[in-house]
């Protein structure tokens, strides 16, 4: 039985870093009065935005050799918004640490590939420098220690190395959204069950509670697509939830070491880096797997089927994508890393020792508490897999799907959503204030 109905101008469903960023932007840079952030768990950023779930990298695109020029520029501009936010808010400064960041090319093929990539990317990343063995040895001695002397390596060092606890950033967004002149509500432990059109707005149902809103923005990962499909708005979009797990060792790296990604595979190659909350550890990952559910602790195949729109089109697109992007070999390799006992040996030899050749079997452990699930976006008609975000916009509804580098780009995603939504509900977006606070156009 429904007990009461609350009202909100804009309801944001999902309190990860993207939903929290939107709460911050709507409350500080628009004239929208009543905003609710609704999260089914007991705290914001409990899923992919939590520091245990992701690689904690503020992505600028300068170690991602699989990005197009457009994606690289967008990613860099989005990351700059995050840096400016952090500069402006003291509570966010505890959530970030500068760190060294290298891009490592191993063997002649990767070195050649990286050289070509670098010549096209250096105008975007003026601070990215090619370094040679003496400098690599000084910055990351374990990259060269015990390496086969005939194996060639080259590296690039970036000037934009930051590790970020995106969970703490989400907390900071929420803290800095409180406003005397507006009603900003954060509703925790409220799981959205269904959404319906209601008299020019939407009615959101949460067990015995319901919220009426003029506009709703779904920042609930793959569950956004689940609700979009229930309203007949998913169109050609679908998802392949893609898990990323991590091995850890004692500290063997000083900073982040990314590897060259040859080809246009839309996944990061395995990298090694410190944990912002435990710098005595080095993490190696992600190890990719394909879960039969949408969230780490909610592996329900029925929700996956509903969100993805299982059927002949989905199967045909998935098969095409596996073949087109040559993903089958990579997937089988990564699946083998999760086989008990032998998986660790395979991961050690194929991945971790490529970065730190002196690592031993007993140094590594697969950490069950680390890792998350990204909603990889696919287009069922074009049979393509995108690198990065997917979005469905219709009038006063938005559904966001934000795989990596979604945490780095959260303010950029939130800004474009806030512009659209404020217009859709007849309110203002304060672009001058936004541009001045975020120093848009200043450099
Ligand atoms: C292995 C891995 C490594 C990554 N590394 C990086 C990285 O280094 N840098 C980077 O920028 N990005 C990285 N990412 C991506 C990044 O984690 C995501 O882009 C980001 O966390 C997405 O934020 P979000 O708010 O959309 O999703 P989430 O943080 O997952 O939040 C979604 C929220 O919606 C809530 N929710 C879902 N359904 C409902 C419902 N029915 N009712 C109410 N609430 C609901 C969930 O509880 C959850 O809190 C990585 C991802 C993975 C998996």
């Amino acid at each position: 039985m429904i007990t009461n109905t609350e009202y909100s101008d804009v309801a944001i469903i999902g309190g990860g870093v993207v939903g929290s960023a939107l709460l911050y932007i709507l409350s500080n840079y628009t004239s929208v009065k009543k905003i609710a952030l609704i999260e089914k768990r007991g705290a914001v950023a409990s899923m992919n935005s939590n520091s245990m779930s992701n690689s904690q990298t503020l992505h600028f695109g300068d170690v991602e050799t699989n990005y197009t020029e457009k994606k690289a520029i967008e990613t860099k501009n989005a990351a700059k918004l995050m840096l400016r936010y952090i500069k402006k808010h003291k509570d966010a400064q505890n959530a970030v640490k500068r760190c060294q960041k290298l891009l490592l090319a191993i063997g002649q093929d990767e070195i050649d590939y990286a050289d070509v990539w670098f010549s096209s990317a250096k105008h975007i990343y003026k601070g990215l420098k090619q370094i040679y063995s003496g400098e690599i040895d000084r910055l990351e001695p374990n990259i060269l220690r015990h390496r086969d002397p005939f194996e060639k390596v080259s590296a690039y060092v970036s000037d934009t190395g930051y590790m970020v606890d995106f969970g703490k950033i989400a907390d900071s967004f929420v803290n800095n959204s409180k406003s005397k002149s507006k009603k900003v509500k954060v509703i925790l432990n409220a799981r959205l069950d269904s959404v319906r059109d209601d008299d020019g707005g939407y009615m959101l149902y949460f067990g015995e509670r319901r919220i009426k809103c003029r506009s709703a923005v779904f920042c609930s990962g793959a569950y956004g697509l689940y609700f979009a499909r229930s309203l007949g708005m998913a169109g050609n979009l679908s998802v392949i939830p893609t898990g990323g797990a991590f091995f850890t060792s004692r500290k063997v790296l000083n900073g982040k070491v990314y590897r060259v990604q040859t080809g246009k595979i839309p996944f990061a190659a395995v990298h090694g880096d410190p944990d912002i909350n435990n710098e005595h550890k080095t993490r190696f990952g992600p190890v990719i797997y394909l879960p039969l559910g949408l969230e780490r602790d909610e592996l329900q195949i029925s929700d996956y089927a509903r969100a993805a729109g299982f059927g002949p089109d989905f199967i045909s697109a998935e098969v095409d994508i596996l073949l087109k992007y040559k993903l089958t070999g990579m997937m089988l390799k990564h699946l083998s890393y999760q086989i008990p006992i032998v998986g660790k040996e395979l991961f050690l030899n194929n991945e971790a020792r490529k970065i730190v050749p002196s690592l031993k079997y007993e140094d590594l452990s697969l950490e069950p508490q680390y890792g998350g699930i990204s909603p990889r976006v696919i287009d069922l008609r074009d049979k393509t897999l995108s690198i990065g975000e997917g979005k469905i916009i219709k009038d006063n509804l938005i559904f966001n799907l934000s795989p990596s580098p979604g945490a780095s780009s959260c303010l950029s995603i939130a800004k474009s959503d806030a512009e659209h939504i404020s217009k859709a509900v007849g309110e203002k977006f304060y672009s001058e204030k936004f541009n001045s606070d975020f120093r848009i156009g200043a450099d």
Side-chain angles (χ1 to χ4, degrees), residues 14 16-18 39-41 48-49 55 57 59 192 402 406-408:
V17 74
V18 174
E39 166 56 47
K40 69 181 170 189
R41 294 187 165 84
N48 290 311
S49 307
S55 305
T57 301
H59 286 291
L192 178 70
S402 311
S408 305

Side-chain angles (χ1 to χ4, degrees), residues 231-346:
L231 292 167
M233 289 183 190
N236 297 317
L237 275 200
S238 182
V239 276
I240 303 182
T242 309
F246 292 88
F247 281 89
T248 63
S249 73
R250 69 195 149 80
K251 180 182 172 183
V252 288
L253 292 171
N254 293 323
K256 291 184 178 280
V257 179
Y258 275 78
R259 295 229 9 232
V260 165
Q261 179 69 277
T262 53
K264 292 294 165 206
I265 293 178
F267 301 107
V270 167
H271 56 272
D273 58 8
D275 181 338
I276 187 170
N277 295 313
N278 182 355
E279 288 185 49
H280 302 297
K281 271 188 176 175
T282 295
R283 309 186 316 163
F284 290 92
V287 175
I288 309 289
Y289 62 99
L290 297 177
L292 291 174
L294 304 178
E295 291 180 351
R296 259 186 74 136
D297 54 1
E298 280 198 39
L299 293 176
Q300 291 178 29
I301 194 159
S302 54
D303 288 359
Y304 181 178
R306 183 106 180 253
F310 271 177
D313 287 353
F314 177 80
I315 293 166
S316 146
E318 188 157 2
V319 170
D320 246 56
I321 284 167
L322 283 172
L323 297 173
K324 186 162 30 179
Y325 297 90
K326 301 192 176 84
L327 294 177
T328 325
M330 188 203 87
M331 285 298 176
L332 289 175
K333 198 165 73 164
H334 278 246
L335 278 179
S336 73
Y337 300 154
Q338 286 158 74
I339 301 170
I341 307 168
V342 279
K344 186 163 91 168
E345 184 73 36
L346 294 169

Side-chain angles (χ1 to χ4, degrees), residues 13-20 38-41 43-50 53-59 166 190-193 206 219-221 223-224 227 242-246 256 258 271 286 295 371-374 400-409:
I13 298 98
V17 74
V18 174
S20 312
I38 301 152
E39 166 56 47
K40 69 181 170 189
R41 294 187 165 84
V44 295
S46 305
M47 282 310 296
N48 290 311
S49 307
N50 191 278
S53 306
N54 58 63
S55 305
Q56 308 169 347
T57 301
L58 183 56
H59 286 291
F166 292 106
R191 174 190 299 268
L192 178 70
D193 296 322
F206 305 84
C219 303
S220 29
Y223 274 100
F227 292 111
T242 309
F246 292 88
K256 291 184 178 280
Y258 275 78
H271 56 272
E295 291 180 351
I373 297 180
S374 265
N400 283 308
L401 293 160
S402 311
S404 192
S408 305
S409 305

